[in-house]
C-alpha cells in the first residue's frame, strides 16, 4: 500500500472522511499527538488499527467525537454531575473520560471492558474529519506499539509507511503528550493517565481528583490495572535511558556521560535549556525551558535519540507538579523506571 501525506485542505479531509466511512484507516493530527483513526462502530475497521500498530488486543481505544451531543449514543446511564462539569470546563480539549459503554460500541473498541473512553479533541482538523465522516472515530496514538507517540506527520510515516493509505499533515502537535484519561464512573474522578489537563485543573472543577497509583509506579506482578495501557512498556527509545533528578543531577549526568564516551559508547543527554551550558561540547538535546516545553518536545527527542543511535541516554527529571506529572509519567515509562535522585 502507498501511504500518502497530504496537507489537511478541504479535499484531503473529504477524502479522509470517505476512507473512514469505507472502513479504512487514516492518521490525523490532534492537539495532543497524531491519532490512527477508524470508524468506531465498524468492528472490522477497528481490527485494522490493532494490526497496523501491533497493539495488544486487551488495550482499549478512545472514541473521538466532534460535539458533546454525540456522547449519548456511546454511553449508558446518566452522566454524573462531576463529569458534566468536566465536559463544560475542558471539552473540546486534551481530556478523555471513561463512562459505562452503550451496547452499540463494539467490544473490539473497549477490549472487552464494560466502559468506553471518549474524547472531544479541539484540533480543527480532527473536528472536521469526525464531522465529515459522520461517525465517532476510534483512534489510538498513530505509532507502532511501544514506540514514542507521534507529534509530527513525519513520525507517523516512520511507523506506518505502507500500512495505511493516508496521513493528514497538520504540523507539530501543540501539547505533545497524550490526553489526560479520567475515570468518571465513580464519585471522585480518578486520573488513569496524566496529560495536558492537570490534576490541579480537574480538582478545581470537581472538588477533588485521585491519581491512580499506576501513574508513577511500576506494576507489581499480577497487579490489576484500571487502564490497560499502563501495563505496557511504552514510549521506549532503543538506547538505555536513565532519568536523574535532585541537586546533583547535572554532575552525575556529566560523570556517567564521560564514562560511557570513554568506553567507546554513543551517549546522549536530554536537558533543560537552563542547564545546557553545564554540558559543554557533549551531545545534548534540549527539552526546552519548562514542563510545558518538555511535554511538547519529549517524544520528538526520544525519536531523535533513536535516529542518532544514542546509547546510553541520560535525561534530567522535572518536578511532578502540573504538566510535570504527565512528563514524568512518560519519561519514567520510557526509562523502564530507571530513576535516581542524586
Ligand atoms: O491524546 C490522546 O489521547 C491520543 C489522541 C490520538 O487522541 N490517543 C491516545 O490513545 O493516546 P492510546 O490508545 O494511545 O491511549 C489510550 C489510553 C490507553 O492507556 C488505554 O488503556 C486507555 O486510554 N483506555 C482506553 N479505554 C479505556 C477504558 N475504557 N478504561 C480505562 N482506560 C482506557
Ligand atoms: Mg498510545
Amino acid at each position: 500500500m502507498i501511504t500518502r501525506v497530504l496537507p489537511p485542505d478541504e479535499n484531503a479531509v473529504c477524502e479522509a472522511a470517505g476512507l473512514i466511512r469505507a472502513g479504512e484507516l487514516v492518521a490525523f493530527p490532534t492537539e495532543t499527538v497524531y491519532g490512527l483513526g477508524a470508524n468506531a462502530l465498524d468492528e472490522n475497521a477497528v481490527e485494522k488499527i490493532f494490526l497496523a500498530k501491533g497493539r495488544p488486543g486487551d488495550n482499549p481505544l478512545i472514541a473521538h467525537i466532534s460535539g458533546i451531543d454525540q456522547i449519548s449514543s456511546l454511553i449508558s446511564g446518566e452522566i454524573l454531575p462531576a463529569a458534566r462539569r468536566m465536559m463544560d470546563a475542558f471539552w473540546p480539549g486534551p481530556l478523555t473520560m471513561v463512562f459505562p459503554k452503550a451496547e452499540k460500541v463494539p467490544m473490539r473498541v473497549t477490549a472487552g471492558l464494560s466502559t468506553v473512553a471518549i474524547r472531544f479533541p479541539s484540533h480543527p482538523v480532527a473536528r472536521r474529519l469526525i464531522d465529515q465522516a459522520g461517525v465517532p472515530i476510534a483512534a489510538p496514538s498513530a505509532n507502532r506499539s511501544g514506540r514514542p507517540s507521534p507529534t509530527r506527520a513525519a513520525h507517523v510515516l516512520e511507523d506506518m509507511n505502507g500500512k495505511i493509505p493516508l496521513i493528514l499533515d497538520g504540523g507539530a502537535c501543540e501539547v505533545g503528550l497524550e490526553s489526560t484519561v479520567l475515570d468518571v464512573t465513580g464519585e471522585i474522578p480518578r486520573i488513569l493517565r496524566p496529560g495536558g489537563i492537570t490534576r490541579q485543573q480537574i480538582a478545581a472543577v470537581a472538588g477533588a481528583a485521585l491519581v491512580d497509583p499506576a501513574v508513577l509506579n511500576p506494576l507489581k506482578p499480577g497487579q490489576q490495572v484500571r487502564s490497560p495501557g499502563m501495563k505496557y512498556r511504552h514510549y521506549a527509545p532503543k538506547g538505555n535511558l536513565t532519568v536523574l533528578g535532585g541537586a546533583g543531577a547535572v554532575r552525575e549526568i556529566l560523570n556517567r556521560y564521560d564514562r560511557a564516551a570513554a568506553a567507546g559508547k554513543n551517549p546522549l543527554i536530554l536537558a533543560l535549556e537552563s542547564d545546557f551550558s553545564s554540558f559543554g561540547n557533549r551531545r545534548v538535546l534540549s527539552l526546552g525551558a519548562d514542563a510545558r516545553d518538555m511535554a511538547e518536545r519529549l517524544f520528538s527527542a526520544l525519536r531523535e535519540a533513536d535516529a542518532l543511535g544514542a546509547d546510553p541516554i541520560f535525561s534530567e527529571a522535572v518536578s511532578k507538579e502540573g504538566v510535570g506529572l504527565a512528563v514524568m509519567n512518560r519519561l519514567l515509562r520510557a526509562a523502564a523506571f530507571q530513576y535516581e535522585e542524586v
Side-chain angles (χ1 to χ4, degrees):
M1 182 183 295
I2 307 262
T3 302
R4 285 181 309 149
V5 182
L6 298 176
D9 58 24
E10 212 163 310
N11 287 337
V13 174
C14 180
E15 187 181 336
L19 284 166
I20 296 283
R21 277 196 305 272
E24 299 298 332
L25 304 185
V26 173
F28 62 98
T30 81
E31 69 278 20
T32 57
V33 301
Y34 276 75
L36 181 62
N39 178 354
L41 303 178
D42 177 344
E43 195 127 38
N44 294 325
V46 170
E47 182 59 32
K48 291 180 185 172
I49 293 178
F50 285 88
L51 288 175
K53 277 186 64 96
R55 183 177 176 104
D58 65 351
N59 195 3
L61 306 176
I62 297 170
H64 295 69
I65 56 176
S66 57
I68 289 185
D69 49 317
Q70 293 162 24
I71 198 177
S72 55
S73 69
L74 300 175
I75 69 171
S76 71
E78 288 295 299
I79 296 171
L80 297 174
R84 179 66 67 188
R85 284 202 297 277
M86 290 297 128
M87 282 179 201
D88 292 343
F90 303 118
W91 275 4
L95 176 70
T96 296
M97 285 193 277
V98 174
F99 299 92
K101 88 184 238 330
E103 194 82 35
K104 84 177 214 195
V105 178
M107 280 295 184
R108 202 75 191 93
V109 171
T110 64
L113 296 177
S114 59
T115 52
V116 60
I118 300 182
R119 173 155 122 79
F120 177 2
S122 64
H123 197 292
V125 174
R127 292 173 67 169
R128 268 164 47 215
L129 177 64
I130 302 163
D131 267 345
Q132 289 199 27
V135 291
I137 295 185
S141 49
N143 50 289
R144 289 275 303 166
S145 210
R147 296 263 293 152
S149 295
T151 55
R152 316 268 188 281
H155 299 163
V156 181
L157 193 64
E158 260 172 39
D159 285 15
M160 293 294 155
N161 198 5
K163 293 183 169 35
I164 60 174
L166 181 60
I167 300 169
L168 294 176
D169 184 353
C173 301
E174 203 182 310
V175 179
L177 298 180
E178 308 88 342
S179 61
T180 305
V181 177
L182 189 67
D183 184 336
V184 291
T185 58
E187 216 158 281
I188 303 175
R190 175 188 289 262
I191 296 174
L192 303 181
R193 179 179 72 180
I197 303 292
T198 65
R199 177 197 186 146
Q200 290 79 358
Q201 284 175 291
I202 292 166
V205 174
L210 303 171
V211 177
D212 201 75
V215 164
L216 286 175
N217 301 299
L219 292 172
K220 299 179 187 79
Q223 187 182 338
Q224 289 285 322
V225 276
R226 286 189 169 80
S227 186
M230 291 296 188
K231 271 194 311 209
Y232 298 103
R233 179 149 186 242
H234 238 153
Y235 320 112
K238 293 184 184 117
N240 188 291
L241 170 64
T242 305
V243 182
L244 291 148
V250 168
R251 204 187 46 224
E252 188 60 23
I253 289 174
L254 283 171
N255 288 339
R256 293 192 193 190
Y257 181 105
D258 289 346
R259 257 183 283 149
K265 295 186 176 157
N266 184 19
L268 175 71
I269 300 166
L270 308 182
L272 287 164
E273 232 149 61
S274 51
D275 293 327
F276 232 66
S277 56
S278 314
F279 295 116
N281 58 4
R282 294 168 185 84
R283 185 135 75 170
V284 193
L285 294 181
S286 172
L287 293 176
D290 56 19
R292 289 253 164 224
D293 284 354
M294 279 178 91
E296 203 266 316
R297 294 186 195 187
L298 179 64
F299 287 149
S300 195
L302 293 176
R303 281 178 183 263
E304 202 173 331
D306 280 353
L308 292 167
D311 186 25
I313 307 162
F314 304 105
S315 177
E316 291 191 282
V318 73
S319 142
K320 292 165 197 143
E321 290 303 298
V323 179
L325 183 67
V327 172
M328 285 302 284
N329 168 271
R330 306 310 191 272
L331 203 47
L332 292 183
R333 280 182 166 64
F337 293 95
Q338 296 189 100
Y339 174 45
E340 293 170 49
E341 292 268 347
V342 289

